[in-house]
Amino acid sequence: MADGAAVAVGAGPDVNTAGNPTEIAMAYLQDETDGDIANLNLGELDLTTDEFILDEVDIHIQANLEDDLVKEALKTGVDLRQYSKQVEAELQRIEQASIKDYIKESQNIALLHNQITACDSILERMEGMLSGFQSDLSSISSEIQTLQQQSVSMNVRLKNRQAVRSHLSQLVDELVVPGAMISTILDSPVTEQEFLEQLHELNNKINFAKELSFRETLACSDIQDIVDRLKLKAVSKIREFILQKIYSFRKPMTNYQIPQNTLLKYRFFYQFLLANERTVAKEIRDEYVDTMSKIYYSYFKSYSGRLLKVQYEEVADKDDLMGVEDTAKKGFFSKPSLKSRNTIFTLGQRGAILSPAELEGPILVPHTAQRGDSRYPYETLFRSQHYALLDNGCREYLFLSDFFMVAGNSALDLFNSIMGKTLSMFLKSMSTYVSDCYDSIAVFLCIHIILRFRAITAKRTIPALDKYWEAVLELLWPRFELILEMNIHSIRNTDPQKLGVLDTRPHYITRRYAEFSSAIVSINQTFPNERTNALLGQLQVEVENFVLKMAAEFPSRRDQLIFLINNYDMMLSVLMERAADDSKEVEGFQQLLLARTQEFIEEILSPPFGGMIAFVKEAEALMEKGQLDRLKNEEARITQLVRGFSSTWKQSVEAMSQDVMRSFTNFKNGTSIIQGALTQLIQYYHGFHKILNQPTFRSLAVRSELINLHHLMVEVKKHKPNF
């Protein structure tokens, strides 16, 4: 019944009509019943309308015939009129039951109606409240939007004010000249740290004022006067301070490096002058250049002059050449009494000047050397002079680059304006010395000193002296080559007949060459020079020719070979002390010595054993041709050779050994020659044995008198000299 009540409430007449609940329920019931009957009979068919169409009637009839109840009635053959009355009676009964149900629930329906009415009023009030809220929210949203726009605007204004305040604050700070700055610039000494700090601040204000003047800022004029006066005062005090330091360089015995280091502590002073008073900066720079130029020139001129006083008194001249005969200047190469004499062709200890310890060692102090009566070769003085130049030049270049803030070509120009006069004096003095110098080792050592000093400055990245090094090398290289060529010509033009008594011992000219060549080769190994190697090759050829010319003066081949071996051995020994074992000079003389030694061995074996040697060579040649039978009739000769060797070989070997040791100045070389000769003798005697063992000579009775080869070797070893 609740569902029926709900339908009645939704589909009934106006529920707002006032009245009895029973009447309301009856009205709903009547309306519902009429609707059901209408639906049951003809649905929406209106039989009274003038627009009735038979086709539509047929359609409705057909639809009703399809109804299940109608079909059931038709099947059972029920009378429709009777059936209609039954249906109508049933409907009336149902209607009465429904009315009773509605009447029974009328109180609930009325209560529901009242509740709905109350809800409607409540909802109406809520709708009014929500409409008010919506209106309020709309106004709040617009207010929030307005506030947001105001906030953005205020934020922009705040940022603009902060930016303006920052710029204005900086501008005011830069424009304001504090009293502390004024008092410090006016009263404090320039050496105080506070003065330097205030000078930095003043420099910033000067630059700021310049920048504002370009912008035509009116506030700039308020401080321009006081800034200019402070600048003038600062420039005056700085100028006086720097010039005072520069003038202190001029005092005698002053170590100018100390005031230089002081100036470097205040390098900003020159930077301030250069930025604000270029005239004063140029004055200071010119004064420094003039002062230091004179100081360096005076120092190095005095130092170079005093160095020359401790040089060896006797120096080589144009007659002191390798090929000049020893009698031309008596005792020139062999006077040991001249302690201050520098040997021309011998390196000795002179090469030590190129060692790192001596190359960068302390410079010579001339008056100390004079007191000790010490004398030095030219290259030692040259090293001391140029190391002082290198040390001072590098320090000066770094000072100029740092204090005067120059680099590249500007730094080089400034350096040359200071050191140019000194360097020109050096080159002029060196040119004078070199033009009259004939000491090739001294010149060559000077060349390598410069090469090493150039490497040192390159390592320090100091390009200031590069052009000077090149100028010195352009002076020294041609002179060295000229002296070397003069020595080559002197050996080429030497007349052996004018060199005194012939002697098989090493000649003094070859000794000169050996000492000189080993010296040049050992020095040249560090910085090889092809031109030097070529000239040494020419010199070696001339010396080899000279040795051959001298050997030709001896009447016998034996003496010629002794002379050649002695000279080759001496030159090889001297060269191997200093030069590398694989050098061209060493290899050349090794080949010459080996060839002449082999020839000499044949020469000394020939007198005592020549017959046997000749027979062995002749027989071996015939054996190769298969013609050994041609010696079948030489029994008497063979017998004489066998018995002669057996009876005299010991005496001959002893005499040969003594003769060899007397002939060669180098005992080691003499021992080697004796060993070679004995080895060669055993080989010849072994060949003699092999020949006599051939079928052609096996029947000879004298074969039994042959000395056992092993026994001979044992006996020969007893004759080997030990030194």
Side-chain angles (χ1 to χ4, degrees):
M1 283 305 298
D3 292 339
V7 172
V9 172
D14 188 1
V15 294
N16 292 324
T17 303
N20 194 324
T22 304
E23 294 177 354
I24 295 172
M26 289 299 294
Y28 273 98
L29 180 60
Q30 184 64 40
D31 184 66
E32 185 72 20
T33 304
D34 293 340
D36 289 340
I37 294 173
N39 288 333
L40 180 62
N41 292 330
L42 295 175
E44 296 178 355
L45 183 60
D46 188 1
L47 299 177
T48 62
T49 180
D50 295 334
E51 298 178 359
F52 176 74
I53 301 173
L54 293 178
D55 292 337
E56 292 182 359
V57 174
D58 291 339
I59 292 172
H60 284 288
I61 292 173
Q62 187 64 33
N64 289 330
L65 290 176
E66 294 295 328
D67 186 83
D68 292 337
L69 292 175
V70 175
K71 285 182 178 181
E72 183 65 25
L74 292 175
K75 287 181 180 180
T76 56
V78 177
D79 185 2
L80 292 178
R81 285 187 296 270
Q82 185 62 31
Y83 183 72
S84 173
K85 290 178 179 181
Q86 290 178 0
V87 169
E88 184 177 356
E90 184 66 26
L91 289 174
Q92 288 178 355
R93 187 182 59 80
I94 291 172
E95 180 181 0
Q96 292 299 323
S98 296
I99 290 171
K100 290 178 180 180
D101 288 339
Y102 278 115
I103 292 171
K104 184 179 179 180
E105 295 295 333
S106 61
Q107 294 295 331
N108 292 334
I109 293 172
L111 180 61
L112 178 61
H113 174 74
N114 293 332
Q115 289 176 351
I116 291 173
T117 303
C119 286
D120 285 342
S121 63
I122 292 170
L123 290 175
E124 185 176 359
R125 288 197 303 272
M126 288 182 65
E127 182 180 5
M129 291 172 62
L130 290 176
S131 298
F133 287 156
Q134 184 177 8
S135 176
D136 292 342
L137 288 174
S138 298
S139 62
I140 290 173
S141 176
S142 63
E143 289 177 2
I144 291 174
Q145 188 174 4
T146 303
L147 290 174
Q148 186 177 9
Q149 293 173 353
Q150 291 176 354
S151 174
V152 171
S153 176
M154 291 173 67
N155 188 34
V156 171
R157 289 198 299 272
L158 177 62
K159 288 183 178 180
N160 291 337
R161 288 178 181 179
Q162 289 177 342
V164 171
R165 179 180 179 181
S166 174
H167 288 295
L168 286 176
S169 176
Q170 182 180 357
L171 178 64
V172 171
D173 290 341
E174 294 291 346
L175 286 175
V176 171
V177 180
M181 176 185 291
I182 297 173
S183 60
T184 302
I185 296 296
L186 294 178
D187 303 329
S188 297
V190 296
T191 54
E192 290 188 3
Q193 181 65 26
E194 187 180 0
F195 179 87
L196 185 60
E197 292 174 358
Q198 293 298 334
L199 188 66
H200 277 279
E201 289 297 324
L202 177 60
N203 189 55
N204 292 334
K205 291 187 183 300
I206 292 171
N207 293 332
F208 189 71
K210 289 179 181 178
E211 182 180 349
L212 291 181
S213 65
F214 289 134
R215 299 179 185 175
E216 298 181 356
T217 304
L218 296 177
C220 177
S221 59
D222 296 339
I223 65 165
Q224 190 67 50
D225 182 59
I226 189 170
V227 168
D228 289 342
R229 283 188 288 173
L230 286 176
K231 180 180 73 173
L232 291 176
K233 183 62 177 177
V235 168
S236 175
K237 294 177 71 172
I238 291 171
R239 174 183 177 277
E240 182 181 356
F241 171 74
I242 296 179
L243 288 179
Q244 182 183 359
K245 290 296 178 184
I246 293 174
Y247 293 151
S248 68
F249 295 169
R250 302 175 181 178
K251 296 178 182 179
M253 307 299 293
T254 298
N255 183 358
Y256 62 87
Q257 294 176 9
I258 295 176
Q260 270 188 340
N261 293 334
T262 303
L263 286 176
L264 284 177
K265 290 169 58 179
Y266 302 103
R267 62 173 64 86
F268 180 72
F269 287 173
Y270 184 80
Q271 182 179 347
F272 181 82
L273 295 178
L274 193 64
N276 300 289
E277 199 64 51
R278 286 185 173 272
T279 305
V280 177
K282 184 178 185 303
E283 177 191 3
I284 289 176
R285 176 168 165 169
D286 292 344
E287 194 68 33
Y288 179 84
V289 169
D290 182 64
T291 299
M292 293 307 297
S293 177
K294 291 177 181 177
I295 289 175
Y296 281 126
Y297 181 78
S298 175
Y299 166 73
F300 279 108
K301 184 177 181 180
S302 173
Y303 183 66
S304 301
R306 284 180 289 152
L307 278 179
L308 292 177
K309 294 180 181 179
V310 295
Q311 186 182 1
Y312 282 130
E313 295 177 357
E314 297 184 29
V315 295
D317 57 30
K318 62 182 178 180
D319 295 325
D320 296 323
L321 298 174
M322 201 175 296
V324 175
E325 56 270 21
D326 211 3
T327 55
K329 292 189 73 175
K330 186 177 181 181
F332 184 82
F333 296 99
S334 59
K335 284 180 70 177
S337 59
L338 291 177
K339 293 183 180 179
S340 61
R341 186 84 185 107
N342 180 29
T343 52
I344 300 172
F345 302 108
T346 304
L347 184 62
Q349 297 300 316
R350 298 170 70 183
I353 197 72
L354 298 178
S355 65
E358 290 200 26
L359 189 69
E360 299 184 54
I363 63 174
L364 289 177
V365 182
H367 62 270
T368 303
Q370 283 179 309
R371 282 202 301 266
D373 199 25
S374 300
R375 293 291 182 267
Y376 301 94
Y378 178 76
E379 65 271 8
T380 301
L381 310 182
F382 181 88
R383 195 283 315 176
S384 184
Q385 181 188 43
H386 281 80
Y387 188 68
L389 174 65
L390 181 148
D391 192 43
N392 285 276
C394 290
R395 184 180 289 107
E396 186 64 30
Y397 180 81
L398 292 175
F399 174 82
L400 295 175
S401 300
D402 199 359
F403 186 78
F404 291 104
M405 298 179 298
V406 290
N409 292 331
S410 299
L412 293 177
D413 293 341
L414 185 58
F415 178 84
N416 289 329
S417 64
I418 293 175
M419 300 295 293
K421 191 175 180 182
T422 301
L423 298 180
S424 298
M425 181 264 292
F426 270 23
L427 291 173
K428 184 177 179 181
S429 174
M430 199 178 310
S431 178
T432 303
Y433 170 80
V434 166
S435 63
D436 197 36
C437 175
Y438 295 90
D439 187 352
S440 53
I441 290 182
V443 175
F444 199 59
L445 284 172
C446 290
I447 289 173
H448 279 263
I449 288 171
I450 293 298
L451 291 175
R452 284 161 173 77
F453 282 169
R454 184 171 67 178
I456 290 173
T457 54
K459 186 177 180 181
R460 296 180 184 179
T461 63
I462 305 294
L465 293 170
D466 288 353
K467 290 185 178 180
Y468 174 75
W469 300 139
E470 294 299 328
V472 174
L473 292 175
E474 288 176 2
L475 281 175
L476 295 177
W477 272 119
R479 187 64 189 179
F480 172 72
E481 293 173 358
L482 176 63
I483 299 173
L484 206 53
E485 289 173 353
M486 292 172 66
N487 281 287
I488 292 172
H489 289 302
S490 70
I491 294 177
R492 183 183 301 158
N493 298 330
T494 298
D495 186 357
Q497 296 180 354
K498 295 181 180 180
L499 297 180
V501 181
L502 292 175
D503 192 344
T504 57
R505 290 176 296 180
H507 199 274
Y508 59 84
I509 290 181
T510 58
R511 182 171 293 280
R512 293 175 188 172
Y513 162 76
E515 295 286 352
F516 176 78
S517 181
S518 64
I520 300 301
V521 169
S522 63
I523 295 171
N524 199 47
Q525 287 175 350
T526 308
F527 291 90
N529 180 268
E530 293 301 323
R531 175 63 178 162
T532 302
N533 292 333
L535 290 172
L536 285 179
Q538 294 180 26
L539 183 61
Q540 181 180 349
V541 170
E542 295 301 331
V543 170
E544 291 175 4
N545 293 336
F546 165 76
V547 172
L548 293 176
K549 286 194 296 183
M550 285 298 300
E553 296 294 316
F554 291 92
S556 68
R557 182 58 181 168
R558 179 180 176 278
D559 289 341
Q560 292 177 359
L561 291 172
I562 292 173
F563 176 81
L564 292 173
I565 291 172
N566 276 328
N567 281 275
Y568 291 152
D569 177 64
M570 181 273 298
M571 290 188 285
L572 186 60
S573 299
V574 174
L575 282 169
M576 290 184 69
E577 288 180 5
R578 296 186 179 274
D581 293 342
D582 59 349
S583 66
K584 184 172 61 177
E585 291 79 9
V586 170
E587 291 180 354
F589 285 115
Q590 281 177 336
Q591 294 174 1
L592 291 172
L593 178 61
L594 181 62
R596 298 290 80 79
T597 299
Q598 194 62 38
E599 185 180 352
F600 179 75
I601 289 173
E602 296 291 336
E603 188 71 23
I604 60 174
L605 289 176
S606 182
F609 308 109
M612 182 190 69
I613 293 172
F615 177 79
V616 169
K617 290 181 178 179
E618 181 183 358
E620 287 178 347
L622 291 174
M623 282 175 63
E624 290 180 1
K625 299 177 182 179
Q627 301 174 0
L628 191 59
D629 292 341
R630 293 175 58 181
L631 299 176
K632 187 184 298 184
N633 299 324
E634 298 284 345
E635 183 177 353
R637 178 184 175 189
I638 294 173
T639 301
Q640 181 183 0
L641 292 175
V642 172
R643 292 173 178 172
F645 183 85
S646 300
S647 60
T648 62
W649 75 270
K650 290 185 179 181
Q651 296 85 348
S652 298
V653 167
E654 183 67 28
M656 182 178 64
S657 298
Q658 294 178 0
D659 182 43
V660 168
M661 298 311 298
R662 286 194 303 268
S663 300
F664 297 100
T665 55
N666 185 348
F667 288 157
K668 183 179 179 181
N669 185 43
T671 302
S672 176
I673 291 174
I674 292 173
Q675 291 177 350
L678 295 178
T679 301
Q680 189 67 32
L681 175 62
I682 291 174
Q683 290 179 352
Y684 279 132
Y685 198 70
H686 180 254
F688 190 54
H689 265 264
K690 287 178 62 178
I691 292 169
L692 294 185
N693 284 331
Q694 296 297 317
T696 305
F697 305 110
R698 285 179 183 172
S699 59
L700 295 178
V702 76
R703 289 181 64 251
S704 61
E705 300 180 23
L706 287 170
I707 299 174
N708 182 271
L709 193 61
H710 180 71
H711 175 71
L712 179 64
M713 292 174 65
V714 173
E715 290 296 324
V716 163
K717 287 181 179 180
K718 297 178 182 179
H719 291 82
K720 288 184 177 180
N722 296 315
F723 297 99

